[in-house]
Amino acid sequence: MSIDLTENSITKAVQCTFDGCHDARTRELFLTLVRHLHDFTREVRLTGEEWFTAMDFLERVGKITTETRQEYVLISDILGVSVLVDLINDQSRPCTTDSTLLGPFYVEGRPTAPNGADISGDVPGMPLFFTGRVVSPAGDPIPGARVDTWHSDGDGHYDVQQAERLHGRLAMRALLTTDEEGRFWYRSIAPRYYPVPTDGPGGEIIRATGRSPMRPEHIHFWFHAEGYDPLITMLFRSDDPYLACDPVFAVRRSLIVDFVQHDPGAAPDGTVVDEPFQTVDWTFTLSPAR
């Protein structure tokens, strides 16, 4: 009955409209969503003005979103929903590498690179040499694993944020493959901490709540290997000043690593570098497919 509804009876009336849903999971999701949304509205005694403000906010999120500017992802991140979904669905085992957010800057059309390649795309910055290994929980190497990696430049900007300056080129990202010993390695430039975009609706939340927009320095990875669950993760610089206040809640203690500073000299790949450089060495452990 949807006539003469009251503040409390409208919830049941709306839920009944999903009785004809053929998919049980879809019905469950909408019934629960309606219940929580209505309970929230009643609890905070939402005003009409506040509701129209919320509708305007969502409209502006949609208008600012593009292929390279994922404002809805940002909203999900800064409200902690993205990490919560990851934590709920994390099926990794105690001896495997923790997962965390994919982030909004992953690009499917990234270039493929051989091990040892310079993936900086000629973007200037302090040289960074990364060496990694991909293994099973027993410590056995996983050869042929596909390794996506991407990161910002030394000013905290990703390539997709600099399309005009880079003339559309992709940089500081690549798809590599582990060798027979499960190893992969590359040269790039050191990334930097950076603020999440604050010039849109997401920034309004940051400012209204007095939160820091600064993400700690990190490098992204996405691993795929036959017989193993995919792994999306990041590594965070151990001495970064923003580790404890990541606005997207992605930092995990097990993913904090040392970015080792070196004076000019011999690099891990055998080349001689005539300026200071950094190195990172890390082993990633994948979970066998369930």
Side-chain angles (χ1 to χ4, degrees), residues 90-99 136-138 252 254-255 284-288 290:
D90 182 14
Q91 297 186 14
S92 61
R93 301 172 186 180
C95 56
T96 58
T97 300
D98 284 329
S99 64
S136 71
R252 306 192 72 167
S254 65
L255 302 177
F284 301 87
T285 306
L286 305 188
S287 294
R290 308 204 177 219

Side-chain angles (χ1 to χ4, degrees), residues 135-200:
V135 301
S136 71
D140 298 321
I142 302 178
R146 291 174 293 153
V147 184
D148 266 296
T149 184
W150 66 101
H151 61 80
S152 75
D153 65 14
D155 293 321
H157 298 128
Y158 287 82
D159 50 3
V160 293
Q161 297 173 300
Q162 310 174 72
E164 184 175 344
R165 185 170 74 87
L166 295 177
H167 305 290
R169 290 186 297 108
L170 296 178
M172 302 164 293
R173 68 175 72 238
L175 173 64
L176 301 100
T177 303
T178 58
D179 67 9
E180 290 303 311
E181 297 181 8
R183 301 177 305 156
F184 68 96
W185 62 99
Y186 61 86
R187 174 175 177 164
S188 190
I189 58 172
R192 185 70 166 173
Y193 47 72
Y194 59 86
V196 297
T198 58
D199 59 338

Side-chain angles (χ1 to χ4, degrees), residues 97-116:
T97 300
D98 284 329
S99 64
T100 190
L101 297 183
L102 176 67
F105 296 115
Y106 170 75
V107 174
E108 289 190 357
R110 71 289 194 217
T112 300
N115 283 310

